[in-house]
Amino acid sequence: MESSQKAWELENAVKLVDPHRDALYSYDKEEQEAIGSQRPWKNDPHYFKNVRISAVALLKMVMHARSGGSLEIMGLMQGKIAGDTFIVTDAFRLPVEGTETRVNASAEADEYVVQYLQACRENGRMENAVGWYHSHPGYGCWLSGIDVATQMLQQSHVDPFLAVVIDPDRTISAGK
């Protein structure tokens, strides 16, 4: 995969605009394992200060949220940890059942996540799932009691884990 990507970049004269900024999205497995073993967030509940979401990931999340209409949607974010920052490089939809006020994930969604992440790794995309997102269409960006319980459950399996809520109606009406 890497050689075909390099060939495509050469053929299309792709150049880094800002190597330092673009390096933000590269993945270093050893670096991530070291951060994961040190777990500095365990000693400081306010350890994380920033979230950086790539334009591609943000567009996918907002378009997914918009596609749900008045029903809530849910997906996962992929990326890494860099210092006190979550770096979100990509996002993908989850096959879940949504209502106007909640999203119900099933064992099918869990199996989908495993298969999706495996396919990513087989194709050279090594980023881990770093969080989940879902929508609150028309009623704002906040974590409900159910969301907090979902976050606590997720974080008991994958720590750290980020939660993002998108209100596609207010996002579009604000022009953002």
Side-chain angles (χ1 to χ4, degrees):
M1 161 106 173
E2 192 171 310
S3 62
S4 59
Q5 180 180 353
K6 294 228 182 281
W8 183 87
E9 289 173 352
L10 285 170
E11 185 177 307
N12 291 286
V14 174
K15 295 182 179 133
L16 292 178
V17 175
D18 182 345
H20 178 70
R21 184 180 301 164
D22 289 345
L24 177 68
Y25 299 106
S26 65
Y27 187 84
D28 182 333
K29 183 178 178 183
E30 289 78 28
E31 175 187 52
Q32 291 305 296
E33 287 174 352
I35 292 168
S37 66
Q38 294 167 3
R39 304 172 76 80
W41 51 88
K42 286 295 191 185
N43 299 323
D44 179 4
H46 303 289
Y47 177 78
F48 290 103
K49 308 282 190 263
N50 304 291
V51 175
R52 296 185 77 172
I53 301 176
S54 73
V56 169
L58 184 60
L59 278 171
K60 285 181 175 183
M61 291 162 45
V62 171
M63 294 302 292
H64 182 201
R66 290 287 300 158
S67 74
S70 63
L71 302 179
E72 289 193 10
I73 56 84
M74 183 178 181
L76 286 185
M77 298 176 285
Q78 289 177 272
K80 66 180 186 175
I81 303 298
D84 64 355
T85 303
F86 279 93
I87 310 283
V88 177
T89 56
D90 204 356
F92 62 96
R93 301 170 177 235
L94 287 179
V96 297
E97 191 175 310
T99 70
E100 285 83 4
T101 58
R102 71 171 27 163
V103 178
N104 299 312
S106 64
E108 177 186 332
D110 294 336
E111 181 62 27
Y112 179 83
V113 170
V114 170
Q115 291 176 357
Y116 186 90
L117 293 174
Q118 182 62 36
C120 286
R121 287 181 175 84
E122 289 170 2
N123 288 290
R125 298 282 318 274
M126 304 310 287
E127 297 89 350
N128 294 312
V130 295
W132 65 292
Y133 69 91
H134 79 289
S135 64
H136 282 177
Y139 56 98
C141 298
W142 53 282
L143 291 175
S144 69
I146 292 170
D147 298 339
V148 171
T150 300
Q151 177 64 14
M152 290 174 66
L153 176 65
Q154 293 290 347
Q155 229 166 305
S156 72
H157 297 292
V158 180
D159 187 31
F161 211 67
L162 176 67
V164 171
V165 177
I166 300 165
D167 181 339
D169 299 340
R170 293 187 182 180
T171 298
I172 297 301
S173 67
K176 298 179 183 178

